[in-house]
Amino acid sequence: MTIKDVPEGWEIRATETPFVGNKTSVRTDEVVMPDGSVARRDYQVHPGSVAVLALDDEDRVLLVRQYRHPVRQRLWEIPAGLLDVPGENPLHAAQRELYEEAHVKAEDWRVLTDVYPTAGGCDEAVRIFLARTLSEVDGERFEAEHEELDMELARVPVDELVRGVLAGDLHNNCLVVGVLAFVAAQQGDGLDALRPAEAPWPARPCES
């Protein structure tokens, strides 16, 4: 048996969208189960996201800290953002987020991992990149608003982040997955064996 996720689509008898928000919506599908019964499934429809584990030349990860209202906590995270435009190139979106949130650019980009953070209730797909060979970006900084107005920045050693994850002190999905995937890659086939930055992403195909 091959341990690999595969595409599959069960029959949908009916669908409706009871809520449409600014970036996401809620959809209700009536799905035919294996025994022939029909069950209603509510889930959030999401455009997809990218995140960046940016590693400097001292093996420190660039973090941002901001308030997340749904969980009522200020979380340490890696730079991340939505795929705002349908068909947007994920690498270009990741480069934009790294610039906007940390005013940094990177020369070496790889795909670290792809995840569905909450597949039981949301169709969001996230591509997490590894970015290396960092440098500061010249020019005007991105104009922050809302939760980003008091965003903090830090650079933290990988080992310290691993301890924080395992101690239950760090909770952001992309940070947790990204850091542990980085360590696994480093101790496995090596970082240079990671997929190239433009590797196909069937969950969110890009048009450019």
Side-chain angles (χ1 to χ4, degrees):
M1 180 174 58
T2 302
I3 305 301
K4 180 179 180 180
D5 298 335
V6 295
E8 183 170 317
W10 291 4
E11 180 186 352
I12 299 174
R13 291 281 175 85
T15 186
E16 59 183 79
T17 305
F19 171 80
V20 176
N22 185 32
K23 296 292 185 180
T24 67
S25 60
V26 173
R27 182 174 298 163
T28 299
D29 290 342
E30 294 185 3
V31 186
V32 180
M33 298 290 111
D35 64 356
S37 63
V38 177
R40 290 173 62 88
R41 292 291 177 261
D42 304 318
Y43 58 100
Q44 182 184 16
V45 178
H46 193 285
S49 307
V50 291
V52 186
L53 192 144
L55 191 74
D56 69 14
D57 56 7
E58 297 180 36
D59 284 340
R60 300 176 303 175
V61 177
L62 195 157
L63 301 183
V64 298
R65 189 185 189 210
Q66 68 181 103
Y67 176 66
R68 293 301 188 182
H69 186 70
V71 295
R72 307 298 197 274
Q73 290 197 26
R74 188 182 293 272
L75 301 180
W76 285 107
E77 308 175 352
I78 57 177
L82 298 176
L83 292 169
D84 291 314
V85 180
E88 183 178 16
N89 186 305
L91 174 59
H92 297 168
Q95 292 169 333
R96 179 189 69 233
E97 293 300 330
L98 186 59
Y99 165 71
E100 290 183 353
E101 295 193 356
H103 214 61
V104 165
K105 65 180 180 179
E107 300 300 325
D108 186 338
W109 289 83
R110 309 270 176 155
V111 174
L112 192 52
T113 190
D114 300 323
V115 294
Y116 293 116
T118 51
C122 181
D123 71 351
E124 180 183 13
V126 181
R127 169 155 283 189
I128 304 176
F129 290 90
L130 171 65
R132 294 179 291 175
T133 314
L134 308 182
S135 61
E136 299 293 326
V137 179
D138 295 328
E140 294 184 6
R141 292 185 176 273
F142 175 73
E143 186 175 347
E145 61 179 1
H146 306 310
E147 289 91 345
E148 296 178 347
L149 285 170
D150 64 347
M151 181 182 289
E152 303 172 55
L153 296 176
R155 297 193 182 202
V156 183
V158 172
D159 290 347
E160 183 177 337
L161 293 178
V162 171
R163 287 193 295 271
V165 168
L166 299 180
D169 295 332
L170 299 170
H171 306 89
N172 174 257
N173 181 278
C174 292
L175 170 60
V176 172
V177 173
V179 166
L180 298 184
F182 171 82
V183 173
Q186 194 174 45
Q187 296 177 355
D189 295 332
L191 300 179
D192 290 337
L194 291 168
R195 287 172 290 164
E198 297 278 11
W201 188 19
R204 292 295 186 274
C206 71
E207 299 172 357
S208 59

